Amino acid sequence: MTGVFERIGKRVVAFHKIVGEMVILLGQTIWFFREAPRNIQSIFTQMAIIGYETLPMASVMAFFVGMVLALQTGAELQKYGTQNIIGGIVGLSLVRELGPVMTSFLVAGRAGSAMAAEIGVMKVYEEIDALKTLDINPVRYLAMPRLIACLICVPALVVYADFVGILGGALLSHFHPKLFLSYSTYYDSLKTALKLREIGAGLLKATVFGGIIALVSCYTGFQTSGGARGIAETTTRAVVLSFMLILVADYFLTRMLL
């Protein structure tokens, strides 16, 4: 029994250590925001990787999520003759929850893992030590551009995904033989249900999730050790931890905003 408590105690200490180190890394990264104008090229490069290269996958994901939402809700609402509110349900579901969460998962799985692996490789092969030797701060050079890029690109991707998902729901609702909902009816329902408050809440979530992805990916990358196996473990850890923190943050943000 004593051994069990010892293991629990060690895990609690390790958890507090990780949280403290991540908070310190976040503070250092925000401090170096003042150096952003001198690192515009690096920020644009990361924005291209995080945002532009994610667009094709985000398009497919959002389009079919919107279609599935319209199909599932439409089949149920048709039983009660209320299928004219499909637009509002699809729009609210995407803007409030599915858009920010699913898009953030996509960015974490694609760009976040790449960031963690890249920094991990630099750590294993002592390139980060070389930066310090050249009097280049690794946080300013590696973490700051990635955090800024995530804070900009993830909300932008969420807005794009919301639009594509709503379009997918509209097409499904219009061409489905049992629903055949006109575009004007779909749009009226969407306009009635979707307010600026919901849009703002979705963008706030997207910004927080983007910060989580960048922070977790950079932190796990900086903690990499053990060669190729360590890099693989770092990549997996970054994605899993990002997913978990996104879901935890989503709950608390939703509770706060409601």
Side-chain angles (χ1 to χ4, degrees):
M1 196 68 176
T2 305
V4 173
F5 285 117
E6 287 181 355
R7 287 196 294 271
I8 293 175
K10 289 179 180 179
R11 290 182 180 179
V12 170
V13 171
F15 174 76
H16 282 88
K17 180 175 179 291
I18 291 172
V19 171
E21 291 174 344
M22 291 182 67
V23 170
I24 292 172
L25 177 60
L26 177 61
Q28 291 175 338
T29 307
I30 293 175
W31 169 257
F32 282 114
F33 276 10
R34 59 198 177 96
E35 301 287 338
R38 297 170 52 190
N39 294 268
I40 290 295
Q41 186 61 46
S42 298
I43 294 171
F44 282 164
T45 300
Q46 294 302 319
M47 288 176 64
I49 295 171
I50 297 167
Y52 178 74
E53 295 181 8
T54 308
L55 281 176
M57 288 173 283
S59 301
V60 175
M61 177 203 71
F63 187 76
F64 283 98
V65 166
M67 291 182 70
V68 169
L69 278 174
L71 185 62
Q72 291 279 15
T73 56
E76 294 300 318
L77 293 174
Q78 188 189 26
K79 298 177 183 178
Y80 308 98
T82 55
Q83 63 267 32
N84 60 323
I85 64 171
I86 292 176
I89 294 176
V90 172
L92 284 176
S93 300
L94 284 168
V95 171
R96 281 182 175 177
E97 288 296 326
L98 291 178
V101 173
M102 296 295 291
T103 305
S104 298
F105 279 0
L106 183 61
V107 173
R110 188 198 161 277
S113 60
M115 286 190 282
E118 183 181 1
I119 296 175
V121 169
M122 296 180 69
K123 178 67 183 302
V124 168
Y125 292 103
E126 300 181 351
E127 294 180 35
I128 291 180
D129 293 333
L131 290 175
K132 295 178 181 177
T133 303
L134 296 171
D135 198 27
I136 299 175
N137 190 295
V139 176
R140 178 188 65 80
Y141 185 74
L142 298 173
M144 182 269 290
R146 287 165 171 79
L147 179 57
I148 291 178
C150 276
L151 292 176
I152 295 173
C153 289
V154 174
L157 281 171
V158 167
V159 172
Y160 174 78
D162 290 343
F163 175 79
V164 173
I166 290 171
L167 177 62
L171 292 173
L172 186 283
S173 301
H174 183 71
F175 289 106
H176 193 281
K178 293 184 178 180
L179 299 178
F180 196 68
L181 195 68
S182 67
Y183 293 126
S184 59
T185 304
Y186 184 93
Y187 174 74
D188 289 340
S189 171
L190 177 67
K191 184 173 65 173
T192 301
L194 206 57
K195 305 299 182 183
L196 287 177
R197 177 182 174 85
E198 279 73 29
I199 297 173
L203 290 177
L204 174 62
K205 287 185 177 183
T207 304
V208 173
F209 298 163
I212 289 173
I213 293 168
L215 180 63
V216 169
S217 301
C218 293
Y219 172 77
T220 53
F222 284 131
Q223 299 299 316
T224 305
S225 61
R229 183 174 182 178
I231 296 170
E233 292 175 352
T234 289
T235 305
T236 303
R237 190 180 304 116
V239 175
V240 173
L241 187 56
S242 294
F243 283 9
M244 292 175 59
L245 291 180
I246 286 169
L247 292 174
V248 171
D250 182 49
Y251 167 77
F252 286 105
L253 287 171
T254 301
R255 182 164 185 173
M256 178 184 72
L257 292 169
L258 287 177

